């Protein structure tokens, strides 16, 4: 199976949170947001989970640096049951969008989404991420930026689909057991079962520390 090269990027606090207990995500400095938009510009696609769409209503476009509409990557939302609101900004006409659903999504909702975006069906109750990556590759997606959130990050690591991890660590501590860490989900039982990473580059940018890792295989 051929699949895109996948880069997970996130902004997090020193204590590893990507959102606070109230799901506030104003974490990264201006310079880091610009770095992320430079990455968006270079990638074929950008992908998030439905949790991120419902919490943040992101546009997932290149808008923090100068650019044109053609710079916007394909937007992909992982949404098993087709819960993407029809007025979500990710469905605007700034860029092409794919809503990836499972067979648990209602045909009625799929038809409505299809008026505004493409729909890819993969998996029974949850989106089968391996199948989705295969479908995206067939559609010409060779590079994909995974922008979270925490649950989708886990799903992608669990399926061994992540190739690189870039994090911007903001000099802040927010705590909260109900705040979201970079990766949630079930987790591995033992540390040695975890995803092994190799640090390739590190530098400061504005107030943040950027760490760039590749996944060791
Ligand atoms: N700081 C940052 O860089 C950053 C970046 C992105 C997001 N965030 C924050 O992260 C939060 C959202 O994270 P989240 O964990 O709640 O949601 P999420 O990861 O965005 O979305 C998770 C949802 O995706 C769906 N999904 C479908 N198939 C899946 C699969 N195979 N594996 C995993 N998920 C699958 C599931 O819902 P269904 O079963 O309904 O499909 C699941 O609940 C937001 O508050 C957002 O602001 C922060």
């Amino acid at each position: 199976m051929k699949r895109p090269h996948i880069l997970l990027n996130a902004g997090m606090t020193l204590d590893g949170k990507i959102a606070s207990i109230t799901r506030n995500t104003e974490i990264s400095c201006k310079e880091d947001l610009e770095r992320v938009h430079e990455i968006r510009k270079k990638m074929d696609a950008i992908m998030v989970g439905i949790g991120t769409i419902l919490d943040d209503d992101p546009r997932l476009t290149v808008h923090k640096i100068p650019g044109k509409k053609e710079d916007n990557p394909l937007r992909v939302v992982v949404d098993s049951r087709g819960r993407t609101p029809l007025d979500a900004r990710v469905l605007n006409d700034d860029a092409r969008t794919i809503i990836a659903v499972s067979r648990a999504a209602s045909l009625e909702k799929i038809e409505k989404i299809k008026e505004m975006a493409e729909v890819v069906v993969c998996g029974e109750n949850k989106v089968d991420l391996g199948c989705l990556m295969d479908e995206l590759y067939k559609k010409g997606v060779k590079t994909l930026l995974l922008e979270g959130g925490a649950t989708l990050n886990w799903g992608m690591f669990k399926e061994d689909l992540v190739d690189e991890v870039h994090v911007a660590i903001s000099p802040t501590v927010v705590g909260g057991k109900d705040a979201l860490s970079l990766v949630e989900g079930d987790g591995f039982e033992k540390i040695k079962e975890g995803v092994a990473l190799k640090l390739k580059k590190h530098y400061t940018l504005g107030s943040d520390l950027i760490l760039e890792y590749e996944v060791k295989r």
Side-chain angles (χ1 to χ4, degrees):
M1 186 178 77
K2 292 202 162 167
R3 64 162 178 85
H5 181 86
I6 296 165
L7 163 61
L8 185 165
N9 186 83
M12 65 188 205
T13 62
L14 181 62
D15 50 334
K17 309 297 188 190
I18 62 163
S20 72
I21 51 169
T22 61
R23 298 294 179 263
N24 180 247
T25 52
E26 290 161 291
I27 298 170
S28 298
C29 65
K30 178 176 173 289
E31 292 83 351
D32 184 57
L33 294 174
E34 289 167 358
R35 178 190 65 86
V36 175
H37 284 238
E38 291 288 357
I39 303 176
R40 287 183 178 184
K41 196 170 173 173
K42 286 188 207 135
M43 304 297 269
D44 294 330
I46 174 171
M47 184 171 88
V48 300
I50 181 63
T52 299
I53 297 296
L54 296 176
D55 280 354
D56 301 348
D57 192 19
R59 279 174 279 178
L60 302 180
T61 56
V62 178
H63 56 267
K64 293 203 185 287
I65 54 170
K68 320 180 280 298
K69 192 172 173 178
E70 301 80 70
D71 294 328
N72 292 331
L74 166 72
R75 303 174 290 191
V76 181
V77 179
V78 180
D79 176 15
S80 314
R81 289 167 278 161
R83 289 189 290 151
T84 302
L86 295 172
D87 61 352
R89 296 202 293 180
V90 76
L91 293 175
N92 69 17
D93 61 8
D94 287 348
R96 216 177 120 202
T97 302
I98 289 179
I99 306 295
V101 300
S102 71
R103 275 174 271 281
S106 82
L107 291 176
E108 191 191 349
K109 184 69 189 283
I110 289 178
E111 287 311 314
K112 285 193 178 130
I113 293 173
K114 273 188 180 165
E115 288 170 20
M116 308 167 89
E118 293 167 53
V119 174
V120 168
V121 185
C122 275
E124 291 304 321
N125 294 310
K126 280 252 168 264
V127 174
D128 177 332
L129 297 170
C131 160
L132 174 60
M133 292 308 114
D134 198 20
E135 291 301 317
L136 292 176
Y137 190 85
K138 284 188 212 153
K139 288 177 184 290
V141 176
K142 302 290 180 284
T143 54
L144 182 137
L145 174 62
L146 169 62
E147 277 205 38
T151 310
L152 182 60
N153 288 347
W154 164 253
M156 292 291 285
F157 275 123
K158 194 179 62 156
E159 300 298 324
D160 192 20
L161 291 169
V162 180
D163 300 297
E164 287 181 75
V165 180
H166 293 189
V167 289
I169 302 180
S170 153
T172 325
V173 169
V174 285
K177 68 177 170 48
D178 295 327
L180 287 177
S181 303
L182 176 64
V183 183
E184 294 282 341
D186 295 335
F188 297 110
E189 286 184 13
K190 302 219 168 92
I191 300 293
K192 69 174 182 204
E193 294 166 8
V195 178
L197 304 171
K198 182 173 183 189
L199 184 64
K200 301 295 284 185
K201 198 172 165 186
H202 61 284
Y203 56 99
T204 54
L205 185 62
S207 59
D208 297 350
L209 172 64
I210 314 297
L211 302 175
E212 300 185 0
Y213 296 88
E214 74 177 19
V215 172
K216 279 173 79 175
R217 291 203 169 84

